[in-house]
Amino acid sequence: MGNKTLKLWLTLSAIFIISGITVGVVLYSLYRDEVLVERISAIRERMISLASIRTWVVDSETSQRGYVISGNSTFLEPLTTAREHLGAAQKTLRNQLIADASMLELNSTLERLITLHYENIKATLARAAQGNFSQAEQMVSRGQGQKIMDQIRAVIGEMETYHQQRLTAASEERRTAMLWARLATIALGGLILVLIATLAYIIDRELRHRELYQEQLNQEVERLAAELRERAEELDTLSTYLQNSIEKERAQLARDLHDEFGGVLTALKIELAWVEGKAEAYDETLTERTRQVSARVNDLIDLKRRVIENLRPSLLDNLGVEAALTWYARDVTERAGLALELDIDTLALRPASEIAIALFRIAQEAISNTLKYAQATTVRLSLKMKNNQLRLEISDNGVGIDMSARTNKRLTHGLAGMKHRALTLRGQFFIYSTPGQGTTIIAEIPYQSAVVYTPERRAQEPSSSQSSAPDRSTSSQAARETASG
Ligand SMILES: Nc1ncnc2c1ncn2[C@@H]1O[C@H](COP(=O)(O)OP(=O)(O)OP(=O)(O)O)[C@@H](O)[C@H]1O
Ligand SMILES: [Mg+2]
């Protein structure tokens, strides 16, 4: 792991940890707020109860006072109502204070004082009922009643103060909790922004890396492809060179055989004719033997001619590729005892010698393969000119190429050589073969690919040049004539 990546992971981990803590703070603050809201509302409810108790107590006091002063019994109505409500309010407050021991104690004091208050009211009203209103009034204004009222007020005041303080504390606590929640929310927002920025940075970096990697990969692929092309071109050039060299060698050999070997054979033939003429006068056996030797020399001359023709058919240079193909196909099929179907167009223009030799060699190899492997009974050979394309097709009705047997040796020399010859001349090459249904080889070579023969080029290529053809043909003709004569 790189230093930068480690730093990023540490940053991300820190962000996640701090975010977790912040979320915890927010959740806790909200929980605290809920608790405090409940507490505040409970305190408020207690304060409401205390306020209503105070009201009912004061109402009773006022009602009693009004009755004592005026002697009017209608003033006693609020006292009755207050007593009814006060009981309920005290009960509520008792329930509300159940969990608060100190307040429960104070509430007991309050309840005791309220009981005393009502007992006192009861005594005062009893006096008033006896018609002793002035004594009753004195009891209310200066006596026990006033004292109890003061004590009740003091206790309620103390309870209210206590609750007011608790209310203030709870409100304060709530404010603090909300402040924490707010701060934590802001922090969380900030952290989310940092997280987004960090992630954006990581993604951007990753994308850049990938782009760079892709670019390097593309460059590498391009480099390898260029290298491969270069190698293929080199191989191509080498193959072309080898094929041309072979052609040159063959032509040279044909010429040497013709000129040197042919010359010797011709001289031998002349010498033998002389010996034969002389021998006739002396010895019949010698004459006979000399004739036999002469016949062997004729055989040699025939053999030499066939070898020369195989090395480089003179017809190719003299009469063109159509004649050479016709002669070769007839010659080999006749000797092998195969039927031949020929369909050869007479070309209006002669193709360049590269094309002619390529077509001839392709046909030669294809027919040779048929003889070697196909077990065929018929060979078809056609040469057509269509849309400026020379199309050579050689097919047989033999066993077909066993493609499965060829998978391990994809580039066998014969087929690869044919293909190479066609492709070098910007042509195309096809093999169609089905087991048991024969084989068809097709080479299509554009006629435009014919090389324009400049005198310089002709001079460079004695093997395939047309200038050498007449010489050889003449000599070969001479040798044949000599041999037969
Ligand atoms: N007309 C055909 N019929 C049946 N099989 C064929 C035919 N032509 C080629 N083959 C098969 O394809 C193989 C490859 O042929 P190719 O000419 O490339 O090589 P080769 O003839 O074995 O060797 P080389 O041509 O170098 O002497 C042959 O060995 C043969 O099995
Ligand atoms: Mg072959």
Side-chain angles (χ1 to χ4, degrees):
M1 203 188 285
N3 211 15
K4 274 192 172 179
T5 316
L6 185 70
K7 269 188 196 165
L8 273 176
W9 276 113
L10 286 177
T11 312
L12 280 179
S13 308
I15 290 171
F16 276 120
I17 291 168
I18 299 171
S19 300
I21 293 170
T22 319
V23 168
V25 171
V26 172
L27 291 178
Y28 180 70
S29 304
L30 291 176
Y31 164 74
R32 280 298 297 158
D33 184 60
E34 223 170 272
V35 170
L36 288 167
V37 165
E38 264 174 38
R39 190 187 291 173
I40 287 168
S41 82
I43 293 170
R44 284 208 175 115
E45 276 166 18
R46 285 185 209 175
M47 287 176 86
I48 289 167
S49 299
L50 276 171
S52 52
I53 287 170
R54 182 205 289 274
T55 308
W56 297 129
V57 168
V58 171
D59 272 11
S60 326
E61 169 69 13
T62 316
S63 163
Q64 166 204 230
R65 199 183 284 270
Y67 171 65
V68 170
I69 294 167
S70 66
N72 186 352
S73 65
T74 52
F75 275 100
L76 288 175
E77 270 172 30
L79 178 65
T80 323
T81 320
R83 281 199 76 169
E84 281 166 15
H85 284 101
L86 195 61
Q90 276 183 296
K91 198 177 170 194
T92 309
L93 184 64
R94 210 177 302 128
N95 287 336
Q96 287 167 340
L97 294 176
I98 212 142
D100 196 332
S102 63
M103 275 301 106
L104 265 183
E105 211 180 304
L106 213 53
N107 191 45
S108 305
T109 312
L110 180 63
E111 282 183 355
R112 215 173 39 250
L113 284 169
I114 289 169
T115 312
L116 279 176
H117 172 65
Y118 274 100
E119 276 171 6
N120 189 53
I121 288 174
K122 211 172 162 187
T124 311
L125 290 181
R127 289 275 163 84
Q130 288 162 6
N132 211 343
F133 277 92
S134 62
Q135 215 176 40
E137 196 193 335
Q138 272 178 10
M139 276 175 79
V140 171
S141 53
R142 270 179 275 122
Q144 189 71 7
Q146 188 58 42
K147 234 196 239 168
I148 292 167
M149 268 310 284
D150 286 347
Q151 280 177 347
I152 288 174
R153 276 199 193 92
V155 171
I156 289 178
E158 194 179 333
M159 286 174 90
E160 279 179 341
T161 309
Y162 170 81
H163 282 106
Q164 189 56 54
Q165 279 170 354
R166 288 202 63 196
L167 191 66
T168 312
S171 301
E172 192 56 41
E173 219 178 307
R174 201 185 157 207
R175 254 198 303 282
T176 313
M178 287 321 290
L179 185 69
W180 271 109
R182 232 170 272 139
L183 286 177
T185 310
I186 291 168
L188 196 63
L191 283 171
I192 288 171
L193 284 181
V194 173
L195 188 70
I196 290 171
T198 312
L199 287 177
Y201 171 73
I202 290 173
I203 291 168
D204 182 59
R205 205 180 64 155
E206 191 59 30
L207 286 177
R208 270 169 211 260
H209 274 180
R210 273 196 196 173
E211 256 170 43
L212 202 69
Y213 179 68
Q214 190 64 44
E215 214 170 283
Q216 282 171 352
L217 211 67
N218 288 347
Q219 277 173 5
E220 188 61 15
V221 167
E222 246 169 55
R223 193 185 64 76
L224 286 175
E227 209 168 287
L228 209 65
R229 268 199 304 275
E230 212 175 292
R231 294 280 166 279
E233 271 167 25
E234 274 171 23
L235 274 177
D236 214 40
T237 313
L238 188 66
S239 301
T240 312
Y241 172 77
L242 284 176
Q243 276 181 348
N244 287 343
S245 298
I246 289 169
E247 289 301 331
K248 273 185 197 167
E249 292 292 323
R250 281 178 171 174
Q252 186 61 42
L253 194 59
R255 256 195 316 277
D256 288 350
L257 273 176
H258 176 262
D259 296 347
E260 308 291 331
F261 190 52
V264 172
L265 284 179
T266 307
L268 191 64
K269 190 87 176 91
I270 293 165
E271 292 302 324
L272 275 172
W274 182 84
V275 172
E276 198 185 323
K278 291 285 174 200
E280 266 174 7
Y282 298 103
D283 189 343
E284 210 173 294
T285 321
L286 184 64
T287 313
E288 184 51 37
R289 278 294 170 88
T290 313
R291 279 206 188 110
Q292 280 174 8
V293 173
S294 187
R296 293 289 83 78
V297 173
N298 281 344
D299 289 346
L300 258 183
I301 289 169
D302 273 350
L303 179 65
K304 180 212 69 174
R305 196 182 300 133
R306 272 211 309 282
V307 171
I308 289 174
E309 284 303 306
N310 272 330
L311 284 171
R312 169 106 189 166
S314 57
L315 287 172
L316 200 59
D317 300 319
N318 298 334
L319 298 177
V321 67
E322 309 96 301
L325 284 175
T326 308
W327 161 77
Y328 177 77
R330 277 198 184 129
D331 186 47
V332 287
T333 51
E334 216 171 271
R335 273 192 278 131
L338 290 183
L340 174 69
E341 290 173 17
L342 271 179
D343 184 7
I344 294 185
D345 280 359
T346 306
L347 304 177
L349 289 166
R350 268 196 181 196
S353 79
E354 279 97 336
I355 296 179
I357 195 77
L359 290 171
F360 185 79
R361 292 296 181 212
I362 291 170
Q364 207 174 20
E365 173 63 22
I367 293 173
S368 151
N369 276 349
T370 296
L371 300 183
K372 278 199 275 181
Y373 312 112
Q375 300 161 34
T377 54
T378 305
V379 176
R380 280 177 294 277
L381 175 75
S382 79
L383 177 69
K384 299 268 160 201
M385 172 81 162
K386 200 178 172 191
N387 299 333
N388 245 355
Q389 293 262 341
L390 281 164
R391 181 185 158 99
L392 174 73
E393 184 172 329
I394 309 102
S395 57
D396 64 50
N397 60 348
V399 293
I401 299 177
D402 184 359
M403 290 294 181
S404 61
R406 292 193 63 244
T407 45
N408 291 334
K409 38 171 186 171
R410 279 172 56 217
L411 273 178
T412 46
H413 296 139
L415 297 176
M418 288 192 257
K419 184 175 179 181
H420 182 76
R421 281 184 192 275
L423 299 192
T424 308
L425 295 165
R426 285 182 283 143
Q428 284 179 296
F429 181 77
F430 309 97
I431 305 172
Y432 300 105
S433 188
T434 317
Q437 290 181 28
T439 305
T440 300
I441 302 279
I442 297 171
E444 284 178 354
I445 298 175
Y447 194 79
Q448 289 93 326
S449 72
V451 178
V452 178
Y453 264 69
T454 59
E456 298 80 37
R457 192 178 168 99
R458 219 176 280 173
Q460 278 169 10
E461 287 189 30
S463 64
S464 56
S465 71
Q466 289 162 335
S467 63
S468 69
D471 292 354
R472 202 172 69 221
S473 113
T474 326
S475 331
S476 128
Q477 196 80 11
R480 223 175 287 143
E481 275 160 15
T482 320
S484 58

